[in-house]
Structure formats: structure tokens, C-alpha cells
Amino acid sequence: MSLTLHTEGDTIIVVTRRFAAPPKALFRAHTEPELIQRWLLGPDGWTMPVCICEARPHGKFRYEWVNGKGAGFHVTGEFLELEPYRRIVHVERMHLPDPTPENHVETTFDPDGDGTAMTVRMNLPDTATRARMLATGMARGMEASYLRLEARDDFDMLGER
Amino acid sequence: MDVMQQLDGVFAALSDPTRRSILARLAKGEATVMELAEPFEMTQPAISRHLKVLETAGLILRRAEGTKRPCRLAGDGVDAIEQWLAMLHKALARNYDRLDAVLADVKPAKKRSKQ
């Protein structure tokens, strides 16, 4: 199904996507570690060996990704609001390895026929953060091939720095 | 220029808070060295050195206008945002395609078993 992504003003990105499953299944897939680890992975070859997710208001989460070749990074965050099964508000920061500015994210799951219309509103990172994400080659599933570095040895080395 | 070298230059340029402030100011529009120096307790030559770093990194462009050389953000910077968004779109699409498969597994565990 198709995903839409647009910016609002200078600072907000809005992502929408429809799913065939009901809101409860979406909510679970965003809050239960054994489900999160199966899809929030980014480019092929990356896995999430550490997934800690305290799905309650003020609960913390920590996701760690590795590519099996020595490169990796992690995200930490806190849940601000959890409204089963329709809304999640959290803050997160990437560690590349220095922490990026905090990203505020609101995720909503609205019933849509038999399925769910999901909307994600998040901050647009600043220029410096975007550059660091590009250099890491992966952040929230960044596509390494954008830089056409996949075939290069120095790409993986960069991630290890 | 090699992509890695280019990124190194960009990181070096962005590592300084004064240069980041200059970029934030230029995001609002073109400005002269004098205008850019105003908010800082710095001499114009000091600001000019920062501008040189930003220019070399490809983050700003300067044009001649009499003795002034007004600065503006490089078009590449704007393109970079669009390319970054396109990359984000692709990455999220891949994750959510994976999520479709995960959800297909989640549903049978619930009351509704209808696909």
C-alpha cells in the first residue's frame, strides 16, 4: 500500500500509510518488542538485537541496530502518552554516537474500514543531523544506496567510527 | 568531489556554533557580511573566515555586488533536503512493507481471524 510523506512548515514531516490490520494490531506492533524487532530494521542485513520497550506513559525504550559487520547505532526515547489502541506520543534521539536533538513523534491509528489509517507526525531534523544520518547510512532505516556507497569498503568503516 | 570528502567538509563546517547560526540566518534570506556579523561579538574578518569555510563546504554561495559580497544558502542545500526526504520515504516504505507481513501474523491471535 502506498505511503505519503509531506512537510508542514519548516519543521514537521507527516507520514501516512494504510494497513489491512485493525488499530489494535498496529498498536501492538509498535509497542511489543518481539513484534518491533521484526519490522523496524532499515536496510537489508541490519538487525535489532536489543529492543527494550516499556510501553507505558513515562516508560523508556532503547533500540539497538547492527549490520553484522561491526557497524551499529542506537535510539533511546521515552513515551509521553499511550492511548490504547489509537495514539502514541514519544520523544527519541539517535546516537550516532553523539545524541541528535530530540525528535517529538505522534503516531495515530484510526479505524479505516477493515483496516487502519496510520499517521506519523515528526520533527524534520536540522541540517547537521541530516548530514550525520546520511553519513551513518542508516537511521530509522536510511537507504544506504542513496549515496551509492554500498559497494564501497569505506562505507562500513564510516559506521564504525 | 568525492562524496566522503564532501561530507567531511560539511561536518567540519557544521561543527562550529557560529557557522550554524550563520546558516540559520541565511535560511531566512540573503545577507551581507556586515549583517551577518551584527549578532556576534566578532570582527568582520573573523566572520569572513567562517564564511570561507561554509563556501568551501558548498553550503553557501556568494555573489559580487559592488564591494559587497552577499551570501545565500547554496541550492544544493535545498536539494539535499528533498533528497533526504525521498530517502526517508523509501526507507519507511520498506519498513512498513515488512510490517504488513508482521500484522498478517498478529491478526490470527486475535478474535477476528478474517484476513
Side-chain angles (χ1 to χ4, degrees):
Chain A
M1 276 175 234
S2 73
L3 173 148
T4 71
L5 184 154
H6 68 271
T7 54
E8 266 182 23
D10 294 334
T11 57
I12 305 288
I13 303 172
V14 181
V15 176
T16 64
R17 170 75 150 73
R18 190 185 184 278
F19 293 91
K24 186 176 181 181
L26 264 298
F27 189 89
R28 288 184 57 199
H30 280 75
T31 51
E32 296 181 15
E34 60 274 23
L35 297 177
I36 293 169
Q37 282 173 303
R38 290 170 57 189
W39 67 271
L40 191 59
L41 298 175
D44 292 338
W46 287 74
T47 58
M48 189 197 287
V50 176
C51 181
I52 298 164
C53 185
E54 304 170 347
R56 58 170 188 269
H58 311 300
K60 295 181 192 305
F61 61 84
R62 179 187 176 96
Y63 304 146
E64 294 184 16
W65 290 270
V66 295
N67 71 347
K69 299 174 193 169
F73 73 98
H74 64 279
V75 164
T76 58
E78 293 86 44
F79 291 105
L80 303 181
E81 296 175 53
L82 281 165
E83 202 180 311
Y85 295 100
R86 67 168 308 269
R87 185 164 169 269
I88 300 170
V89 182
H90 74 267
V91 291
E92 64 177 29
R93 59 205 75 80
M94 273 175 281
H95 300 262
L96 297 172
D98 298 328
T100 61
E102 220 162 62
N103 185 14
H104 184 277
V105 184
E106 179 188 36
T107 308
T108 54
F109 309 113
D110 293 311
D112 180 21
D114 283 347
T116 302
M118 183 182 78
T119 306
V120 182
R121 296 171 64 87
M122 62 181 117
N123 304 6
L124 181 65
D126 59 34
T127 311
T129 301
R130 283 198 305 270
R132 280 160 65 195
M133 289 164 78
L134 282 173
T136 306
M138 175 187 172
R140 299 285 302 235
M142 291 299 104
E143 178 56 68
S145 64
Y146 163 67
L147 285 175
R148 295 186 180 81
L149 292 173
E150 282 177 327
R152 296 174 51 148
D153 291 340
D154 58 356
F155 171 66
D156 282 331
M157 285 166 60
L158 188 74
E160 289 165 27
R161 262 178 219 164
Chain B
M1 201 194 307
D2 181 89
V3 174
M4 282 299 140
Q5 284 173 9
Q6 194 176 351
L7 281 173
D8 283 349
V10 170
F11 294 145
L14 293 171
S15 65
D16 181 87
T18 302
R19 290 196 286 269
R20 288 199 296 270
S21 297
I22 290 171
L23 289 176
R25 164 64 186 83
L26 291 176
K28 295 175 187 168
E30 196 174 71
T32 62
V33 178
M34 201 161 62
E35 288 164 344
L36 289 171
E38 212 172 57
F40 303 104
E41 290 182 7
M42 259 184 229
T43 60
Q44 285 191 26
I47 291 292
S48 288
R49 280 196 291 277
H50 282 306
L51 293 176
K52 186 70 197 165
V53 175
L54 291 169
E55 191 177 11
T56 305
L59 291 167
I60 66 167
L61 295 173
R62 308 186 70 175
R63 64 184 177 85
E65 186 188 276
T67 55
K68 293 178 197 168
R69 295 192 61 209
C71 307
R72 62 184 166 86
L73 288 185
D76 287 354
V78 177
D79 290 347
I81 291 177
E82 285 174 9
Q83 287 172 335
W84 186 87
L85 288 171
M87 185 181 64
L88 180 67
H89 187 289
K90 192 174 174 184
L92 290 175
R94 190 194 295 220
N95 272 354
Y96 293 144
D97 287 349
R98 244 188 236 118
L99 178 52
D100 280 332
V102 172
L103 292 169
D105 281 354
V106 171
K107 281 204 289 183
K110 296 162 45 57
K111 285 176 203 162
R112 290 176 46 182
S113 58
K114 201 171 85 145
Q115 244 348 70

